[in-house]
Amino acid sequence: MHVQAACRYTLEVQASTERIPQIRRILAAHLRHWSLEQHITPVCRAVDELVGNVVQHVEGDKTCVVELRWTGRHLIASVSDNDRSMPRLTSSCPSKGGLATVAVLSDSWGTCGTATGKVIWFSRRVKQAERLLRAAPSPLPPVPEFKPLPALRPVPQDSDRDIARTPRREPVAVG
């Protein structure tokens, strides 16, 4: 069984409404590179919510760090910021956005306080069967039966040729 090595991507960004589509495109490119195309929409939507929460709720410095980790079985995304106030799940209705949307789009999620702020993370399980190649590999043509090449006549070397018989051209002076 082939187990892929862990992959990680980190992006530090000044959170703003204008930056959210750019963050989405960057994350989608990494997920494509890791052959996780089927997770692009839910992961990007959940990260949009988390970055949007930074824009809406963080006072002052809106710098945040968006991180993707792919372990080979789990895809984990997180957004950390410098605000120590912990988020609350205020509604269980995902249509209202926020953490309820993150909960619906993930298998698990949580928050963690840090020395400088907080991290909000979510994870998605990835089954090996979900990781399909973009295009199924075409079967290789059958290997032809081995047949030896016909014997070739030896090519004469310069020393074997009669150089004296080869006519030589002399330069012609123009003028």
Side-chain angles (χ1 to χ4, degrees):
M1 175 180 195
H2 173 71
V3 178
Q4 179 173 344
C7 299
R8 178 179 176 222
Y9 175 72
T10 304
L11 171 68
E12 184 172 326
V13 64
Q14 194 67 28
S16 68
T17 306
E18 297 80 26
R19 296 294 301 260
I20 291 175
Q22 181 184 20
I23 294 167
R24 186 183 314 122
R25 285 190 301 272
I26 292 169
L27 297 181
H30 281 278
L31 293 171
R32 273 189 213 93
H33 178 69
W34 295 340
S35 299
L36 296 169
E37 290 87 354
Q38 64 278 10
H39 295 275
I40 290 172
T41 301
V43 168
C44 289
R45 177 72 178 107
V47 170
D48 287 355
E49 287 296 328
L50 297 178
V51 174
N53 286 348
V54 173
V55 172
Q56 184 178 359
H57 299 292
V58 172
E59 297 294 326
D61 182 18
K62 294 188 185 286
T63 301
C64 66
V65 176
V66 178
E67 183 175 39
L68 285 180
R69 287 180 186 255
W70 162 233
T71 67
R73 291 183 187 228
H74 292 92
L75 179 59
I76 303 156
S78 65
V79 176
S80 60
D81 61 52
N82 297 319
D83 184 23
R84 292 183 185 219
S85 62
M86 298 301 284
R88 294 178 307 148
L89 183 60
T90 56
S91 170
S92 61
C93 184
S95 64
K96 292 185 178 181
L99 292 177
T101 300
V102 173
V104 167
L105 296 171
S106 64
D107 294 314
S108 62
W109 68 277
T111 62
C112 179
T114 66
T116 59
K118 67 180 168 296
V119 176
I120 305 165
W121 59 270
F122 65 91
S123 69
R124 293 179 54 86
R125 283 184 300 271
V126 179
K127 298 178 185 124
Q128 196 64 14
E130 291 177 355
R131 291 198 67 224
L132 300 175
L133 295 174
R134 288 184 202 164
S138 57
L140 296 173
V143 177
E145 182 181 329
F146 174 76
K147 294 180 183 173
L149 294 173
L152 297 175
R153 287 182 283 157
V155 178
Q157 301 294 323
D158 284 342
S159 60
D160 296 342
R161 291 186 189 157
D162 185 9
I163 298 175
R165 289 191 206 161
T166 306
R168 209 169 138 197
R169 294 189 169 187
E170 297 292 331
V172 177
V174 179

CSV table of all heavy atoms in Angstrom, one decimal, residues 13 18 23 61-62 67 77 82 88 94 98 126 135 141 151 171:
chain,number,residue,atom,x,y,z
A,13,VAL,N,-1.9,36.3,5.6
A,13,VAL,CA,-2.6,37.3,4.7
A,13,VAL,C,-3.4,38.3,5.6
A,13,VAL,O,-3.7,37.9,6.8
A,13,VAL,CB,-3.6,36.5,3.8
A,13,VAL,CG1,-4.7,35.8,4.5
A,13,VAL,CG2,-4.2,37.5,2.8
A,18,GLU,N,-12.0,41.6,0.0
A,18,GLU,CA,-11.5,41.5,-1.3
A,18,GLU,C,-10.5,40.4,-1.4
A,18,GLU,O,-10.3,39.9,-2.5
A,18,GLU,CB,-10.8,42.8,-1.6
A,18,GLU,CG,-11.6,44.0,-1.7
A,18,GLU,CD,-12.0,44.6,-0.3
A,18,GLU,OE1,-11.2,44.4,0.6
A,18,GLU,OE2,-13.0,45.2,-0.2
A,23,ILE,N,-7.7,34.0,-1.8
A,23,ILE,CA,-7.3,32.9,-0.9
A,23,ILE,C,-8.0,31.6,-1.5
A,23,ILE,O,-7.3,30.5,-1.5
A,23,ILE,CB,-7.8,33.2,0.5
A,23,ILE,CG1,-7.0,34.4,1.1
A,23,ILE,CG2,-7.7,32.0,1.4
A,23,ILE,CD1,-7.6,35.0,2.3
A,61,ASP,N,-5.6,44.5,14.2
A,61,ASP,CA,-4.8,43.7,13.3
A,61,ASP,C,-5.6,42.5,12.8
A,61,ASP,O,-6.0,41.6,13.5
A,61,ASP,CB,-3.5,43.3,14.0
A,61,ASP,CG,-2.6,42.5,13.0
A,61,ASP,OD1,-2.8,42.6,11.8
A,61,ASP,OD2,-1.7,41.8,13.5
A,62,LYS,N,-5.9,42.5,11.5
A,62,LYS,CA,-6.6,41.4,10.9
A,62,LYS,C,-5.7,40.4,10.1
A,62,LYS,O,-6.2,39.7,9.2
A,62,LYS,CB,-7.7,42.0,9.9
A,62,LYS,CG,-8.8,42.8,10.7
A,62,LYS,CD,-9.9,43.2,9.8
A,62,LYS,CE,-10.9,44.1,10.5
A,62,LYS,NZ,-11.7,43.4,11.4
A,67,GLU,N,-3.9,27.7,6.8
A,67,GLU,CA,-3.1,26.5,6.7
A,67,GLU,C,-3.9,25.3,6.2
A,67,GLU,O,-5.0,25.1,6.6
A,67,GLU,CB,-2.4,26.2,8.0
A,67,GLU,CG,-1.4,25.0,7.9
A,67,GLU,CD,-0.7,24.8,9.2
A,67,GLU,OE1,-1.3,24.9,10.3
A,67,GLU,OE2,0.5,24.5,9.1
A,77,ALA,N,-7.8,22.0,7.6
A,77,ALA,CA,-7.6,23.4,7.3
A,77,ALA,C,-7.8,24.2,8.6
A,77,ALA,O,-8.6,23.8,9.4
A,77,ALA,CB,-8.6,23.8,6.2
A,82,ASN,N,-4.9,36.9,15.6
A,82,ASN,CA,-4.3,37.5,16.8
A,82,ASN,C,-5.3,38.0,17.9
A,82,ASN,O,-5.0,38.7,18.8
A,82,ASN,CB,-3.3,38.6,16.5
A,82,ASN,CG,-2.2,38.1,15.6
A,82,ASN,OD1,-1.6,37.0,15.9
A,82,ASN,ND2,-1.8,38.9,14.6
A,88,ARG,N,-18.1,31.6,19.0
A,88,ARG,CA,-19.2,30.9,19.5
A,88,ARG,C,-20.1,30.4,18.4
A,88,ARG,O,-20.3,31.2,17.4
A,88,ARG,CB,-20.0,31.7,20.5
A,88,ARG,CG,-19.3,32.1,21.8
A,88,ARG,CD,-20.1,32.9,22.7
A,88,ARG,NE,-20.6,34.1,21.9
A,88,ARG,CZ,-21.8,34.7,22.2
A,88,ARG,NH1,-22.5,34.2,23.2
A,88,ARG,NH2,-22.2,35.7,21.5
A,94,PRO,N,-26.9,26.3,9.0
A,94,PRO,CA,-25.8,26.6,8.1
A,94,PRO,C,-26.1,27.7,7.1
A,94,PRO,O,-25.2,28.4,6.6
A,94,PRO,CB,-25.5,25.3,7.4
A,94,PRO,CG,-26.5,24.3,7.8
A,94,PRO,CD,-27.3,24.9,8.8
A,98,GLY,N,-21.1,31.2,9.1
A,98,GLY,CA,-20.3,31.0,10.4
A,98,GLY,C,-19.9,29.6,10.6
A,98,GLY,O,-19.8,28.8,9.7
A,126,VAL,N,-10.5,11.6,3.9
A,126,VAL,CA,-10.4,11.3,2.4
A,126,VAL,C,-10.2,9.8,2.3
A,126,VAL,O,-9.2,9.3,2.8
A,126,VAL,CB,-9.2,12.1,1.8
A,126,VAL,CG1,-9.0,11.8,0.4
A,126,VAL,CG2,-9.3,13.6,2.1
A,135,ALA,N,-7.5,11.6,-15.2
A,135,ALA,CA,-7.9,10.8,-16.3
A,135,ALA,C,-7.3,9.3,-16.1
A,135,ALA,O,-6.2,9.2,-15.6
A,135,ALA,CB,-7.3,11.3,-17.6
A,141,PRO,N,0.4,-0.5,-24.7
A,141,PRO,CA,0.3,-1.5,-25.8
A,141,PRO,C,1.1,-2.8,-25.5
A,141,PRO,O,2.1,-2.7,-24.7
A,141,PRO,CB,0.9,-0.8,-27.0
A,141,PRO,CG,1.8,0.3,-26.4
A,141,PRO,CD,1.1,0.6,-25.1
A,151,ALA,N,21.7,-8.4,-39.3
A,151,ALA,CA,23.2,-8.0,-39.2
A,151,ALA,C,23.4,-6.9,-40.2
A,151,ALA,O,23.0,-6.9,-41.3
A,151,ALA,CB,24.0,-9.2,-39.5
A,171,PRO,N,40.3,26.9,-52.9
A,171,PRO,CA,39.5,28.2,-52.9
A,171,PRO,C,39.9,29.0,-54.1
A,171,PRO,O,41.0,28.9,-54.6
A,171,PRO,CB,40.0,28.8,-51.6
A,171,PRO,CG,41.2,28.1,-51.2
A,171,PRO,CD,41.2,26.8,-51.8
